[in-house]
Amino acid sequence: MTDLPAWEARFRARRLGLPDFARDRDERTVAVATTDDGTIELHWWTVGADGLIQATDRPEGTSDGTLDPTGEQLWWFDDRKGDEKGVWRRQPYGSAPGSHTTATSLPAAYSSGLALGVRTAVVGSTDDGYGVRVHVVDPDAGPDAPARLLYEHEEEAYVGDLSRDESLVVLAHSEHGDSRHPALRVLRVDDASTVAELWDGEGKGLHPAAFSPVAGDQRLLVVHERDGVPALLVWDPLTGAETPLAIDAPGEVEDAEWWSDATAVVVAVSHEARTRLVRVDLETLATQPFGPTTGTVTSATVRDDGSIWATWSSAASPSSVRVLHPDRADEGELLLAPPGPAAPPSVAVEDVWVEGRGGRIHALLRRPADAAPGPLPLVVEVHGGPTHHDIDAFMAYPSAWVDHGFAVVQVNYRGSTGYGSAWRDALEERVGHVELEDVVAVRDHLVGTGVADPRRVVLAGASWGGFITLLGLGTQPDAWALGLAGVPVADYVAAYEDEMEGLKAFDRSLFGGSPDDVPDRYADSSPITYVDQVSVPVLVLAGENDPRCPIRQIENYLARLTERGVPHEVYRYDAGHGSLVNDERVRQMRVELDFAARHLPQG
């Protein structure tokens, strides 16, 4: 890749996720990684082996899979060209691509969680017409064996985890009608009877992290938000005992995992766009920070030998898989590297804080290292989710803009995770408009301080970020020189009609009902309501098979732009809500760079 420009080399560099190891044979692992031709697929890696061996092979790529506890079988999800509706496949460890069988007799559906045991598999499915169903299957019985229904409900739910003895399963459910703030239910696997319920009331969600790994110990790690910030507790569903864990580190809990003997937990704590790791001793409740002190740990898992495998990166440094140690605050050692050249480094982020109506807004700014004095063209990149936040991590997309002379700012607007429950839920006041208020406040700050040229500010984003982009072009037409909207919500009512069932539940939770229930709220937040005010060039990127932001509602919006003669282009690709193929990702980046070069005013 030495002859490629740096921006393209970053997209094409081999990527490697955190290896997922089998509980009972932890030398056997499966990892998500790019193939030689640049497609994300599942790969085998046996600890100590020289390299990865490809396990799956689909034109659209494969990213969702896990090993069973014995390490004998890989389960992976097989959809159609990224439409996210499919079935689980089962494949012997170490076998060649194509060596799979269908894992269950269940029909194609959207996945709503999977928990694998030695004797039991618990499979969650969701689809139009029935909501959610959870089945129990014998993992060795084959695709013709009947699946036993364990749970069903019209509202959203997902499978959390299976206890070590495979007698209990925990579900997160929204029978109360709010999928964004779920409750927990523990069921007996053999008869579907309820063992325990946990719900903290309206607006306070609970998320199951993991059952104890020790046989006979039925305790469960739970992320709660009773005090307005996601935190951690240990819950025993058999006795009802709850032990809140006071973690002596700033920020909110993202995830947690048991130590192998259940005497401690490793917790990922997010604070100001960086995620750190701490170990909490369950006897003394002492908190011990460890691992990297810069950048972001994006995933981590605990090994039986007391080491921690983790992925880490920063905005300037490419992602790597590391071995960390609980008594050391450093980056540890490299565990495994994909073959081929590493991605070229990029620039570090600068933290920007701006006072907004709802509080201080945190944003991450990238600027070209060799930028000349004076205002720069600026890309305001709006993250998706909305329950997500931008972090200090390595990313090819913003780095490409920086290489082309742009400053890039990512805004953790109200609606983002990482800044407390009230900040995350503030968008309920007026969906879309609340987020935009913060995005514009950061834009105006960068213009006012001389960082950005007000005539050359691009509003860009994908998914929820694409929705915010189109909404901003219609409600704040004078703030932007052009818009780049990837897989957006463009016509909210049509999107609701066509989207996958889980997102219908999300939207009902967010808006307080369906479009039939609260039509004015959907109309107020729908970009198509404001399409007549759009006056700058618009590029839309759309997946033909996208179940999250379906194509019909995008076509409705584009037709209105055509009627009005607004300059716009659409790039359609044969996949879903994004692509796992490097060639496609590079094509999309080129389309955006070319569109900006043709339509952005010259400096």
Side-chain angles (χ1 to χ4, degrees):
M1 295 193 299
T2 56
D3 57 341
L4 294 178
W7 74 263
E8 185 173 347
R10 292 190 196 96
F11 276 97
R12 295 193 181 280
R14 297 288 290 268
R15 288 174 288 160
L16 173 64
L18 185 68
D20 173 33
F21 60 85
R23 184 192 71 197
D24 300 335
R25 293 195 62 178
D26 67 0
E27 79 280 5
R28 291 187 169 187
T29 81
V30 65
V32 174
T34 44
T35 62
D36 291 340
D37 64 2
T39 301
I40 288 288
E41 292 290 357
L42 299 173
H43 290 72
W44 314 114
W45 181 57
T46 302
V47 177
D50 291 336
L52 304 167
I53 299 173
Q54 188 173 336
T56 56
D57 186 10
R58 303 191 309 150
E60 61 271 63
T62 313
S63 62
D64 189 1
T66 187
L67 288 173
D68 73 3
T70 68
E72 296 294 332
Q73 297 287 335
L74 166 67
W75 286 54
W76 57 269
F77 195 72
D78 187 8
D79 67 352
R80 176 189 165 276
K81 294 186 176 182
D83 67 358
E84 300 183 43
K85 188 173 184 178
V87 298
W88 288 99
R89 307 295 188 190
R90 193 165 176 259
Q91 183 171 337
Y93 185 84
S95 62
S99 304
H100 58 270
T101 59
T102 303
T104 78
S105 60
L106 296 171
Y110 301 105
S111 175
S112 197
L114 173 71
L116 294 179
V118 176
R119 306 173 307 279
T120 306
V122 182
V123 183
S125 307
T126 180
D127 205 353
D128 294 337
Y130 62 78
V132 171
R133 290 174 179 163
V134 177
H135 289 86
V136 177
V137 300
D138 179 344
D140 294 321
D144 297 326
R148 176 168 54 88
L149 184 65
L150 185 73
Y151 172 90
E152 68 177 329
H153 200 275
E154 61 185 10
E155 292 291 348
E156 178 71 0
Y158 66 88
V159 176
D161 196 21
L162 187 66
S163 64
R164 176 63 185 263
D165 64 6
E166 303 180 25
S167 67
L168 305 178
V169 64
V170 60
L171 308 179
H173 72 83
S174 57
E175 293 178 10
H176 53 288
D178 182 2
S179 67
R180 295 168 53 247
H181 305 95
L184 301 185
R185 179 173 297 158
V186 175
L187 302 176
R188 293 197 184 279
V189 173
D190 59 356
D191 62 7
S193 61
T194 297
V195 174
E197 301 264 11
L198 194 62
W199 187 43
D200 284 347
E202 184 177 349
K204 295 181 179 180
L206 295 165
H207 299 275
F211 276 106
S212 166
V214 175
D217 182 358
Q218 308 290 45
R219 292 177 300 164
L220 181 69
L221 292 177
V222 175
V223 178
H224 69 91
E225 47 188 305
R226 296 172 179 176
D227 299 318
V229 176
L232 193 64
L233 62 84
V234 179
W235 177 42
D236 187 334
L238 297 184
T239 67
E242 299 176 19
T243 306
L245 300 182
I247 297 170
D248 186 17
E252 63 180 48
V253 171
E254 280 191 347
D255 200 4
E257 184 170 327
W258 293 92
W259 208 253
S260 58
D261 61 2
T263 61
V265 294
V266 170
V267 187
V269 183
S270 173
H271 180 60
E272 297 183 355
R274 283 91 177 170
T275 299
R276 308 280 190 264
L277 297 179
V278 300
R279 182 183 186 273
V280 180
D281 187 294
L282 293 182
E283 181 177 352
T284 67
L285 300 184
T287 300
Q288 176 63 51
F290 70 93
T293 58
T294 61
T296 297
V297 174
T298 48
S299 58
T301 189
V302 182
R303 300 275 290 172
D304 285 348
D305 64 4
S307 66
I308 293 90
W309 288 359
T311 53
W312 171 90
S313 75
S314 69
S317 301
S319 179
S320 58
V321 181
R322 320 291 301 181
V323 180
L324 307 179
H325 307 276
D327 57 349
R328 288 164 43 185
D330 59 24
E331 296 175 12
E333 303 86 41
L334 185 68
L335 172 67
L336 179 66
S346 188
V347 297
V349 294
E350 307 168 42
D351 291 271
V352 176
W353 293 90
V354 178
E355 292 296 333
R357 181 175 67 87
R360 295 178 75 216
I361 308 160
H362 188 202
L364 301 175
L365 176 67
R366 291 168 168 86
R367 286 192 267 192
D370 56 354
L376 295 166
L378 174 69
V379 173
V380 180
E381 186 197 357
V382 187
H383 69 71
T387 49
H388 181 69
H389 64 280
D390 279 312
I391 56 178
D392 180 6
F394 195 76
M395 301 175 190
Y397 180 86
S399 298
W401 289 105
V402 171
D403 286 2
H404 284 80
F406 288 78
V408 179
V409 69
Q410 298 168 311
V411 183
N412 285 329
Y413 51 75
R414 279 171 291 162
S416 305
T417 55
Y419 301 84
S421 302
W423 187 267
R424 181 200 63 211
D425 291 343
L427 80 170
E428 295 173 357
E429 176 188 342
R430 194 181 177 201
V431 176
H433 300 273
V434 168
E435 301 96 292
L436 272 171
E437 187 176 10
D438 290 351
V439 169
V440 170
V442 172
R443 177 246 184 230
D444 291 348
H445 170 79
L446 294 178
V447 168
T449 54
V451 172
D453 181 345
R455 300 177 305 110
R456 296 189 291 161
V457 181
V458 178
L459 184 58
S463 190
W464 195 264
F467 157 64
I468 296 298
T469 295
L470 295 184
L471 190 64
L473 297 180
T475 60
Q476 304 152 339
D478 296 332
W480 319 106
L482 57 88
L484 308 171
V487 290
V489 174
D491 176 350
Y492 222 127
V493 174
Y496 181 90
E497 292 169 351
D498 296 351
E499 68 191 4
M500 59 198 296
E501 178 59 34
L503 286 183
K504 285 186 172 72
F506 179 92
D507 286 338
R508 291 193 298 270
S509 170
L510 185 61
F511 286 95
S514 71
D516 289 339
D517 300 324
V518 286
D520 291 345
R521 293 209 67 192
Y522 280 85
D524 180 62
S525 295
S526 183
I528 204 168
T529 301
Y530 310 96
V531 69
D532 289 346
Q533 283 72 55
V534 176
S535 59
V536 299
V538 185
L539 171 67
V540 175
L541 300 93
E544 297 281 4
N545 312 309
D546 190 345
R548 298 173 180 268
C549 298
I551 196 73
R552 180 175 69 92
Q553 52 95 25
I554 293 174
E555 292 172 339
N556 294 346
Y557 185 90
L558 294 172
R560 293 284 296 276
L561 291 180
T562 300
E563 290 172 6
R564 295 189 50 246
V566 176
H568 68 279
E569 296 175 15
V570 58
Y571 176 87
R572 299 169 73 132
Y573 59 96
D574 192 18
H577 200 62
S579 176
L580 301 178
V581 180
N582 284 348
D583 284 346
E584 179 58 43
R585 297 170 67 235
V586 169
R587 278 194 294 270
Q588 292 183 24
M589 190 73 246
R590 282 202 182 105
V591 167
E592 293 196 32
L593 291 168
D594 176 68
F595 188 84
R598 288 186 286 113
H599 291 284
L600 199 64
Q602 296 300 307

